[in-house]
Amino acid sequence: MSKLRGVQLLALFSLICFTQAQQDDRTVAADIVFLVDTSWSIGQENFQNVREFLFRVIKAFDIGENRFRFGLVQYSEKPQAEFHLNTYFTKQDILFHIWNMSYKGGGTKTGL
């Protein structure tokens, strides 16, 4: 359970670090990129927990070209962009991709 909490905190920290918000009187827009560790050290069960966490976070936002945009990169031995900020402009498309995203596995190379 503490490993999962650490994963969620890392995801939240990543969310904060990669958010660039613009705000005026009526709208808020942000580009948010998630960096997801999918190495063997995470494991299939925790990967599912991360996927569910991402699903809950993204459901809370108003998605659109001039609103919140999301990107996602998986990393283990080699980073792989799952989708870019300009790939999806509907919540349904983003959630569908995340729900069907496969667990890659591989060595943990966070320092390279």
Side-chain angles (χ1 to χ4, degrees):
M1 185 62 141
S2 77
K3 207 175 203 183
L4 173 59
R5 206 170 267 168
V7 169
Q8 289 176 337
L9 288 174
L10 177 61
L12 183 58
F13 179 73
S14 297
L15 172 68
I16 292 166
C17 288
F18 288 104
T19 301
Q20 297 179 347
Q22 301 172 347
Q23 184 173 359
D24 65 24
D25 291 338
R26 293 175 284 168
T27 62
V28 175
D31 292 341
I32 301 169
V33 177
F34 290 101
L35 182 60
V36 179
D37 182 354
T38 57
S39 65
W40 295 126
S41 62
I42 294 300
Q44 185 70 39
E45 183 178 335
N46 282 329
F47 177 72
Q48 178 62 28
N49 291 333
V50 169
R51 188 171 25 209
E52 290 171 8
F53 172 77
L54 293 170
F55 201 87
R56 287 191 308 270
V57 168
I58 290 170
K59 279 182 75 171
F61 287 95
D62 184 16
I63 309 295
E65 189 171 359
N66 296 314
R67 302 293 293 167
F68 287 88
R69 300 185 309 167
F70 289 90
L72 192 143
V73 175
Q74 286 194 46
Y75 75 92
S76 55
E77 293 177 355
K78 182 173 143 187
Q80 175 184 332
E82 282 290 326
F83 54 90
H84 299 272
L85 293 168
N86 62 354
T87 303
Y88 299 121
F89 295 108
T90 69
K91 189 180 298 190
Q92 180 180 355
D93 289 341
I94 295 170
L95 295 176
F96 182 81
H97 188 114
I98 288 172
W99 200 253
N100 292 293
M101 188 170 59
S102 62
Y103 175 60
K104 304 295 185 207
T108 305
K109 305 227 175 171
T110 57
L112 297 178

